[in-house]
Amino acid sequence: MNVYFMRHGETDWNTIKRLQGRTDIPLNQNGIDLAAKTSKAVHESGIVFDKILTSPLIRAKKTAELMNVYSKAPLSEDSRIIEFCFGDGEGHTFEEIKTNDRFINLRNWFFAPENYHAEMGAESYEDFFGRLDDFLTTVRQLEKELPAEKAENYNLLIVCHGGVVRGLLKQMLEWSVNDFAKTKIPNCGLNLCKLTNGIFSLEYTAKIFA
């Protein structure tokens, strides 16, 4: 089974480098255009999605809808792939987080993740990776339920967020938490892992189709 997963299109908070987390910010016009161009380019490359799962946040849902223009696949929300909750850090710029010692622990999430611990309303790694593991159990179950001849070419698309894409890569490929933090995740960059008999293998990350 082909498991594609991607970050949503651009938002205004992305452009000014403001931490979004669970804050429900919509796509800006460039984000809409980028998702539409990505959808068209993916379609022209010959990829048709059989199923799409999206985070419930509006920036992901709109991206998922645009990615589904050509495939017209069943599309549903899954709260387990909502973005990491950054608590009181949400709404602050990355410059504030890097320079204000009030956010020193949140800074660790990005630059020294082995030292991160949950505080100020932020999510714990235990909860974050736990819900992603639960989600991946569902993905593995989908592969098991597909007939063998269909599973090989079945295309699942997951539309989510930068933090979740990093987390999925870590859990799928058993990366360390440090590898998780270093991964660059562009808006609408597509990632692909093959799932064979419950085992994930990486094909590519952050591929730009638009």
Side-chain angles (χ1 to χ4, degrees):
M1 188 166 83
N2 299 310
V3 182
Y4 294 89
F5 48 113
M6 65 184 292
R7 185 185 180 192
H8 56 79
E10 184 186 81
T11 71
D12 285 343
W13 279 23
N14 288 151
T15 63
I16 59 175
K17 301 187 185 306
R18 193 178 297 278
L19 189 58
Q20 292 178 125
R22 300 280 178 87
T23 309
D24 212 0
I25 305 299
L27 298 182
N28 59 23
Q29 188 58 52
N30 186 55
I32 291 170
D33 293 344
L34 179 60
K37 289 176 184 176
T38 301
S39 179
K40 185 172 187 290
V42 166
H43 171 71
E44 289 175 348
S45 77
I47 299 169
V48 178
F49 298 113
D50 296 287
K51 184 175 185 177
I52 299 177
L53 299 173
T54 180
S55 157
L57 296 179
I58 55 176
R59 59 190 184 270
K61 287 198 295 181
K62 181 63 175 179
T63 302
E65 289 165 4
L66 291 166
M67 290 297 296
N68 199 27
V69 166
Y70 299 97
S71 296
K72 300 186 179 351
L75 190 158
S76 58
E77 297 177 22
D78 194 312
S79 62
R80 293 172 296 182
I81 51 173
I82 198 170
E83 180 59 300
F84 191 90
C85 177
F86 292 101
D88 291 352
E90 294 184 11
H92 293 274
T93 66
F94 284 96
E95 187 60 30
E96 289 177 278
I97 290 166
K98 285 192 290 185
T99 58
N100 187 336
D101 283 346
R102 175 175 175 240
F103 299 115
I104 191 167
N105 181 59
L106 188 55
R107 197 180 307 158
N108 288 338
W109 197 92
F110 295 96
F111 303 108
E114 69 278 9
N115 296 324
Y116 171 80
H117 62 272
E119 64 178 17
M120 297 169 60
E123 189 172 8
S124 69
Y125 274 160
E126 181 181 11
D127 287 347
F128 179 56
F129 293 122
R131 63 179 166 91
L132 294 187
D133 282 342
D134 189 60
F135 173 76
L136 291 174
T137 296
T138 300
V139 173
R140 287 186 173 97
Q141 184 61 35
L142 173 60
E143 187 218 4
K144 286 174 63 175
E145 292 172 355
L146 290 170
E149 65 276 8
K150 186 175 182 180
E152 185 176 356
N153 297 308
Y154 190 92
N155 295 325
L156 172 66
L157 175 64
I158 300 161
V159 183
C160 52
H161 309 270
V164 175
V165 170
R166 290 183 180 96
L168 288 173
L169 285 166
K170 177 188 175 301
Q171 299 306 93
M172 287 174 168
L173 304 172
E174 300 181 351
W175 285 357
S176 74
V177 75
N178 285 324
D179 291 329
F180 149 83
K182 293 173 185 174
T183 310
K184 302 298 183 185
I185 309 296
N187 292 108
C188 287
L190 226 64
N191 308 271
L192 172 60
C193 281
K194 294 283 289 186
L195 178 59
T196 307
N197 297 323
I199 304 298
F200 290 99
S201 59
L202 181 64
E203 296 291 312
Y204 56 74
T205 62
K207 185 173 180 177
I208 302 298
F209 279 81

